Amino acid sequence: MVEVRDLARHTGEEVTVGGWVDQLRVHGKVAFVVVRDGTGYVQCVAVKQELEEETWEAATGLTQETSVMVRGEVRAEPRAPGGYELQLRRLQVVGTSPEYPIQPKEHGVEFLLDHRHLWLRSSQQRAGLRVRAEVEQAIHDFFYQRGFVRLDTPILTGSIGEHAGTLFSTDYFGQNAYLAQTGQLYVEAGCPAFRKVYCFGPTFRAEKSKTRRHLTEFWMVEPEMAFVDSEGNMRLQEELVTYLVERALERCRPELEYLGRDLSKLEAVKPPFPRISYTEAIELLARKGSETRWGDDIGGADETLLSEDSHLPLFVYNYPKKVKAFYMKENPDDPRTVLCDDLLAPEGYGEIIGGSQREDDLDKLLARIREEGLPEEAYGWYLDLRRYGTFPHSGFGLGLERTVAWITGRKHVRELIPFPRLLNRLYP
Ligand code: NSS
């Protein structure tokens, strides 16, 4: 059996392809069956006169998503999808598909999400998820090339990584365990062992938000670097984001074009990215009519206001301590703020990265844990990192689905993960 993507190498030969029926068109005594095998589409041409009666009947009775094995000669045909077609000789139906639920017409999004296991087969979804897979591979390549060691962090944890308000908790043999909101605290422990490390996996947040940017389970890559400050941290973020966009442009151009992405906007993504402080952002927001005041967090609508004019991602750095997580390092020049940054994607796609330099002073960190009312006993191990050879270090988390939503130009993150977990959705 050959894969459709390899058909060019088999021009003139008779081959077998296995796949699923995408389309059938019958024009009198000629029928065209388009088969998708997961690597591409191929059009099979069935000519009544050349086929046994039975084969012709089977070909013209095919329904959408029937699985088949088709055999025939490969011919170059520029007008066919993929550029090649098969002159059908034989056809075997492997699995029938009566009344396939997703038809070539408009369906409501809840219906499509209920049928996500089938919706994955559609061209748009395939294109988005292929870009996702490429971006994931590019992330690993980027860190591997730079000497980072991948450190896998636990999903079940007793230490709250971000905020107490968005935890999924479960019983762990009589103890309370949480699904990890972040792997960060653990990659921090990996720094003295390997200097530069990263984790990349699913993270969980019981967020009650029903926005196009929120999932309750999303994937995040989190590098952590010893002896790197907030400035060096932002430089790595710029390099990573630029690399991911370049890789998508280089290896997923057909998918991006299929999705209608304006490629010139992606091609313009080059460092340095503009940077504004939180205080400057608040001033800019006030000029744009936002009600957000110094001390407030910058929400989704404000992020859109800040990033709508730019084709480049925008750094907003040094937020007030009060709106950020306990582990961020106090800014020595303004102790009301912390040394952190959010990277906002252009065109209103929102925050794709949150990063910071970490508090490396034991007493300050302990004070922050107490202020936040976090259970101190769960952080003994984390505080040990400050007790035994504390060191300046920084890191960040890039949200995969938001990044891919921006790169592909898709509005909603739910399409950029194979099986989205959303408020009110655990099926399929
Ligand atoms: O909360 S973050 O801003 N930061 C952290 O989790 C740090 N512990 C990362 C670190 O420094 N190692 O989340 C980081 C990114 C954020 O910018 C989004 O892109 C993404 O994770 N994110 C989400 N994506 C989808 N859905 C939800 N709910 C979500 N929350 C964060």
Side-chain angles (χ1 to χ4, degrees):
M1 193 173 308
V2 303
E3 293 186 354
V4 167
R5 65 174 165 187
D6 294 331
L7 282 181
R9 286 200 276 122
H10 296 277
T11 312
E13 293 170 27
E14 198 171 287
V15 301
T16 303
V17 167
W20 294 263
V21 173
D22 183 69
Q23 247 189 61
L24 167 72
R25 281 171 292 132
V26 185
H27 298 291
K29 296 182 169 154
V30 183
F32 300 94
V33 185
V34 178
V35 172
R36 181 192 74 251
D37 84 334
T39 73
Y41 293 88
V42 62
Q43 173 166 287
C44 308
V45 185
V47 179
K48 187 172 184 189
Q49 277 168 338
E50 296 172 2
L51 295 172
E52 286 176 19
E53 177 73 23
E54 217 175 290
T55 308
W56 172 255
E57 290 301 322
T60 51
L62 287 170
T63 55
Q64 199 186 335
E65 293 303 320
T66 299
S67 49
V68 290
M69 294 216 276
V70 286
R71 187 163 178 80
E73 191 185 310
V74 182
R75 288 191 315 220
E77 172 48 70
R79 284 167 304 176
Y84 291 86
E85 59 181 28
L86 276 194
Q87 187 66 33
L88 192 74
R89 294 267 170 273
R90 263 183 283 158
L91 165 74
Q92 186 192 336
V93 170
V94 179
T96 57
S97 170
E99 292 166 49
Y100 187 66
I102 302 180
Q103 293 294 313
K105 63 165 194 182
E106 281 289 310
H107 288 288
V109 73
E110 289 305 320
F111 177 88
L112 290 170
L113 284 169
D114 283 341
H115 294 86
R116 183 60 174 168
H117 50 296
L118 303 177
W119 191 25
L120 290 181
R121 305 179 187 192
S122 78
S123 306
Q124 234 175 23
Q125 298 307 308
R126 284 165 23 87
L129 291 174
R130 191 171 285 278
V131 177
R132 174 191 168 103
E134 182 58 36
V135 170
E136 286 186 293
Q137 186 61 48
I139 286 171
H140 286 302
D141 293 348
F142 178 89
F143 288 111
Y144 186 79
Q145 284 158 14
R146 280 164 181 73
F148 281 72
V149 173
R150 182 177 181 182
L151 195 83
D152 297 324
T153 53
I155 284 174
L156 286 169
T157 174
S159 323
I160 301 169
E162 289 292 323
H163 306 286
T166 60
L167 289 166
F168 283 111
S169 53
T170 181
D171 173 61
Y172 191 75
F173 310 114
Q175 275 189 67
N176 217 11
Y178 310 111
L179 297 184
Q181 296 171 312
T182 170
Q184 180 197 318
L185 307 193
Y186 296 98
V187 280
E188 285 187 54
C191 278
F194 300 108
R195 192 176 192 95
K196 293 185 291 187
V197 293
Y198 75 102
C199 62
F200 189 9
T203 47
F204 307 86
R205 301 207 184 163
E207 290 187 278
K208 300 260 157 56
S209 345
K210 252 186 154 176
T211 78
R212 62 193 180 90
R213 294 173 186 169
H214 286 90
L215 296 161
T216 55
E217 177 175 323
F218 64 96
W219 282 60
M220 179 158 60
V221 59
E222 296 181 271
E224 193 70 29
M225 298 159 286
F227 296 101
V228 168
D229 62 8
S230 190
E231 166 64 34
N233 196 27
M234 285 193 265
R235 276 204 305 275
L236 189 76
Q237 293 168 43
E238 247 165 30
E239 276 179 42
L240 172 64
V241 168
T242 305
Y243 180 76
L244 299 182
V245 169
E246 274 170 11
R247 273 281 291 261
L249 281 167
E250 183 191 308
R251 304 205 190 172
C252 292
R253 198 166 273 266
E255 285 80 8
L256 295 173
E257 280 170 351
Y258 182 81
L259 293 170
R261 186 65 170 109
D262 180 347
L263 299 186
S264 67
K265 293 206 167 127
L266 294 180
E267 277 155 357
V269 176
K270 296 272 177 282
F273 298 166
R275 299 179 185 189
I276 56 171
S277 69
Y278 167 85
T279 304
E280 288 165 329
I282 294 294
E283 287 161 12
L284 179 58
L285 285 171
R287 288 200 294 279
K288 285 178 173 265
S290 162
E291 303 271 291
T292 306
R293 294 289 168 263
W294 206 101
D296 299 341
D297 201 2
I298 294 179
D302 287 334
E303 285 173 1
T304 303
L305 279 179
L306 290 172
S307 65
E308 65 190 356
D309 305 330
S310 173
H311 287 169
L312 284 175
L314 171 73
F315 283 112
V316 181
Y317 61 88
N318 295 3
Y319 282 63
K321 200 183 277 176
K322 285 217 180 75
V323 300
K324 288 295 182 186
F326 68 95
Y327 51 72
M328 296 187 180
K329 187 173 176 61
E330 187 179 280
N331 178 4
D333 297 330
D334 179 358
R336 296 176 306 161
T337 62
V338 282
L339 298 175
C340 70
D341 70 87
D342 281 359
L343 184 66
L344 311 183
E347 304 165 68
Y349 284 91
E351 179 203 316
I352 54 171
I353 289 183
S356 64
Q357 188 166 338
R358 316 309 189 186
E359 186 54 80
D360 45 19
D361 180 287
L362 176 64
D363 296 332
K364 284 189 171 148
L365 184 58
L366 195 54
R368 287 286 287 138
I369 287 174
R370 288 179 182 154
E371 255 170 58
E372 296 277 317
L374 294 166
E376 209 176 304
E377 59 289 357
Y379 294 94
W381 68 272
Y382 186 62
L383 293 165
D384 271 356
L385 306 176
R386 279 71 181 167
R387 283 194 188 101
Y388 304 108
T390 193
F391 54 103
H393 60 294
S394 303
F396 62 87
L398 171 137
L400 180 66
E401 292 77 15
R402 288 196 194 168
T403 304
V404 179
W406 162 51
I407 292 176
T408 54
R410 304 299 295 165
K411 266 226 185 81
H412 208 300
V413 290
R414 67 187 168 213
E415 289 185 28
L416 287 323
I417 184 164
F419 293 96
R421 297 289 169 248
L422 301 159
L423 194 67
N424 307 332
R425 179 166 293 283
L426 198 55
Y427 179 94

